[in-house]
């Protein structure tokens, strides 16, 4: 799996010693800045954030061992050159931790060494959360439920209650596990008044040395919301969350605000090894914005450095 260095490639079974899946079980974004490892982003309300870690802290050790030494376990072996994407994958995997061990993160802040032990939390059970921010702006947050068809009815209730608001903020910053296109099209269908394209698929037909391309469309559904739409995305916007973001952008129905997203490659297919019966998945279709940009390379119109900046930009929209 490490040879593919992307969170969309994984096994369907794990041991206690296995690494936690990314980005679903990740809660901290650490990047290499020259010779230092710095916290660049935190998943709001999850272990690293709740433990007291802060954006900007310099991380020196993970579980008491130097970071450079541990990254080698996650870097692909097929190449002598490791790209920034490979290193970022290795960092994300390392700091997600394994199922059987507590994570101990050592940082230096203002010259002082500190240690933190963040707990790994699962996502909350509620499908979404919504509220009226002020007389002009409604807010809907999807809680990692884009794969649950029950979200469609809940989203309809939320949107119907906010339909008269001039602005709507749709928060997709907590959708790391992706979902399905039925839910995605149902959500986007509330914002268009005619059939429109939202993403392009590409599939290799290896046996015949041909490629299959097709465009997926959104159809209008129920009462159309006609106000201004702002989509919040981040490092924990994954797969179908990324699809909705590029879809709204392609439909020209929203301004996307946030950091680059999780960058999960394409659409996945599931397989099973014949002898061990172990299941696994990896991408088999490429996905593109209608303008031809690969989904994983999409950059928000209003680009932010981290979730804190994203939320500040959302406040500017609301107020």
């Amino acid at each position: 799996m490490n040879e593919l260095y992307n969170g969309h490639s994984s096994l369907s079974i794990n041991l206690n010693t296995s690494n936690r899946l990314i980005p679903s079980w990740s809660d901290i974004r650490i990047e290499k800045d020259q010779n230092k490892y710095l916290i660049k982003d935190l998943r709001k309300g999850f272990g690293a954030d709740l433990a007291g870690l802060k954006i900007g802290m310099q991380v020196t050790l993970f579980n008491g061992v130097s970071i450079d030494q541990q990254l080698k376990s996650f870097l692909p072996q097929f190449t002598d050159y490791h790209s920034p994407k490979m290193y970022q994958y290795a960092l994300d995997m390392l700091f997600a931790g394994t199922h059987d061990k507590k994570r101990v993160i050592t940082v230096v802040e203002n010259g002082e060494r500190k240690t933190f032990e963040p707990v790994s939390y699962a996502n909350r059970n509620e499908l979404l959360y919504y509220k009226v921010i002020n007389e002009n702006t409604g807010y809907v947050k999807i809680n990692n439920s884009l794969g649950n068809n029950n979200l469609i009815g809940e989203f309809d209730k939320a949107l119907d209650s906010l339909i008269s608001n001039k602005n709507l903020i749709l928060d997709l910053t907590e959708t790391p596990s992706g979902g399905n296109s039925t839910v995605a099209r149902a959500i986007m269908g509330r914002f268009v008044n005619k059939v429109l394209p939202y993403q392009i698929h590409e599939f290799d037909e290896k046996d015949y040395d041909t490629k299959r391309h097709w465009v997926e469309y959104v159809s209008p559904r129920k009462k159309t919301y006609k106000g201004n739409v702002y989509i919040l995305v981040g490092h924990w916007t994954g797969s179908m969350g990324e699809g909705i973001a590029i879809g709204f952008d392609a439909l020209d129905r929203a301004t996307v605000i946030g950091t680059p997203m999780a960058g999960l490659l394409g659409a996945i297919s599931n397989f099973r090894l014949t002898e061990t019966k172990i299941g696994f998945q990896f991408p088999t279709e490429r996905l593109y914005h209608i303008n031809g940009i690969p989904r994983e390379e999409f950059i928000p119109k209003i680009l932010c450095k981290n979730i804190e900046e994203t939320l500040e930009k959302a406040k500017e929209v609301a107020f």
Side-chain angles (χ1 to χ4, degrees):
M1 292 297 119
N2 292 339
E3 299 305 304
L4 302 177
Y5 59 96
N6 190 265
H8 244 177
S9 301
S10 62
L11 302 178
S12 62
I13 191 171
N14 62 266
L15 304 173
N16 287 335
T17 54
S18 298
N19 226 81
R20 294 183 182 275
L21 295 178
I22 60 168
S24 295
W25 282 95
S26 165
D27 58 9
I28 187 169
R29 169 86 173 190
I30 291 175
E31 297 178 10
K32 190 170 187 177
D33 190 336
Q34 296 181 351
N35 293 322
K36 297 179 180 179
Y37 290 99
L38 302 178
I39 298 176
K40 295 290 189 176
D41 207 355
L42 290 164
R43 193 173 172 186
K44 277 286 185 182
F46 282 75
D49 178 37
L50 297 177
L53 288 158
K54 303 293 182 186
I55 293 170
M57 285 180 170
Q58 180 186 348
V59 181
T60 56
L61 302 172
F62 180 75
N63 288 351
V65 182
S66 73
I67 297 168
D68 285 334
Q69 183 177 336
Q70 297 178 82
L71 292 183
K72 296 175 183 177
S73 300
F74 301 103
L75 290 171
Q77 297 181 31
F78 74 87
T79 176
D80 293 328
Y81 168 75
H82 292 120
S83 68
K85 285 186 178 181
M86 294 175 187
Y87 272 108
Q88 192 58 55
Y89 166 83
L91 280 166
D92 292 342
M93 288 288 281
L94 175 63
F95 282 90
T98 58
H99 293 275
D100 63 335
K101 291 180 182 177
K102 288 184 178 180
R103 294 179 296 164
V104 180
I105 297 175
T106 304
V107 307
V108 173
E109 185 180 33
N110 299 322
E112 182 183 352
R113 176 184 264 194
K114 300 178 181 178
T115 59
F116 298 84
E117 297 185 16
V119 175
S120 295
Y121 293 101
N123 207 279
R124 61 191 60 160
N125 291 324
E126 63 179 354
L127 300 179
L128 59 73
Y129 167 78
Y130 69 96
K131 65 179 179 180
V132 175
I133 296 177
N134 58 36
E135 66 273 14
N136 292 321
T137 308
Y139 172 87
V140 180
K141 183 175 186 179
I142 307 295
N143 285 319
N144 205 31
S145 54
L146 291 174
N148 187 333
N149 289 352
N150 293 327
L151 176 64
I152 297 171
E154 293 299 309
F155 183 81
D156 285 342
K157 291 177 189 176
L159 187 60
D160 289 342
S161 73
L162 303 170
I163 202 84
S164 61
N165 284 274
K166 178 183 175 182
N167 303 315
L168 180 75
I169 297 172
L170 177 57
D171 189 340
L172 299 177
T173 59
E174 189 46 55
T175 57
S177 300
N180 64 65
S181 64
T182 299
V183 173
R185 285 183 281 104
I187 290 173
M188 289 184 284
R190 294 297 308 271
F191 298 87
V192 297
N193 55 19
K194 61 181 178 180
V195 177
L196 291 169
Y198 87 93
Q199 72 174 355
I200 298 172
H201 297 248
E202 182 181 78
F203 180 80
D204 291 333
E205 296 174 315
K206 292 287 188 181
D207 292 344
Y208 307 103
D209 194 26
T210 59
K211 292 182 185 291
R212 181 185 174 199
H213 292 82
W214 68 100
V215 178
E216 193 167 3
Y217 288 80
V218 172
S219 299
R221 197 177 66 83
K222 296 194 171 185
K223 187 175 181 180
T224 303
Y225 177 81
K226 297 179 180 179
N228 303 314
V229 184
Y230 301 88
I231 308 290
L232 306 187
V233 300
H235 293 117
W236 291 275
T237 304
S239 193
M240 202 65 251
E242 298 178 80
I244 293 175
I246 69 163
F248 268 101
D249 189 75
L251 298 169
D252 198 24
R253 273 302 283 122
T255 299
V256 182
I257 304 171
T259 72
M261 298 183 287
L264 297 182
L265 295 175
I268 58 174
S269 296
N270 293 289
F271 304 90
R272 196 180 188 195
L273 297 171
T274 55
E275 299 297 326
T276 62
K277 310 304 180 186
I278 292 174
F280 62 98
Q281 61 182 26
F282 60 81
T284 53
E285 286 179 25
R286 288 174 288 277
L287 295 174
Y288 300 89
H289 190 291
I290 290 301
N291 64 15
I293 295 173
R295 186 182 70 183
E296 63 274 13
E297 295 180 12
F298 176 79
I299 299 296
K301 185 174 183 180
I302 300 178
L303 183 62
C304 302
K305 295 178 181 177
N306 52 54
I307 186 63
E308 300 292 348
E309 188 176 323
T310 301
L311 295 176
E312 285 301 313
K313 293 292 184 183
K315 288 178 183 177
E316 291 178 16
V317 168
F319 296 105

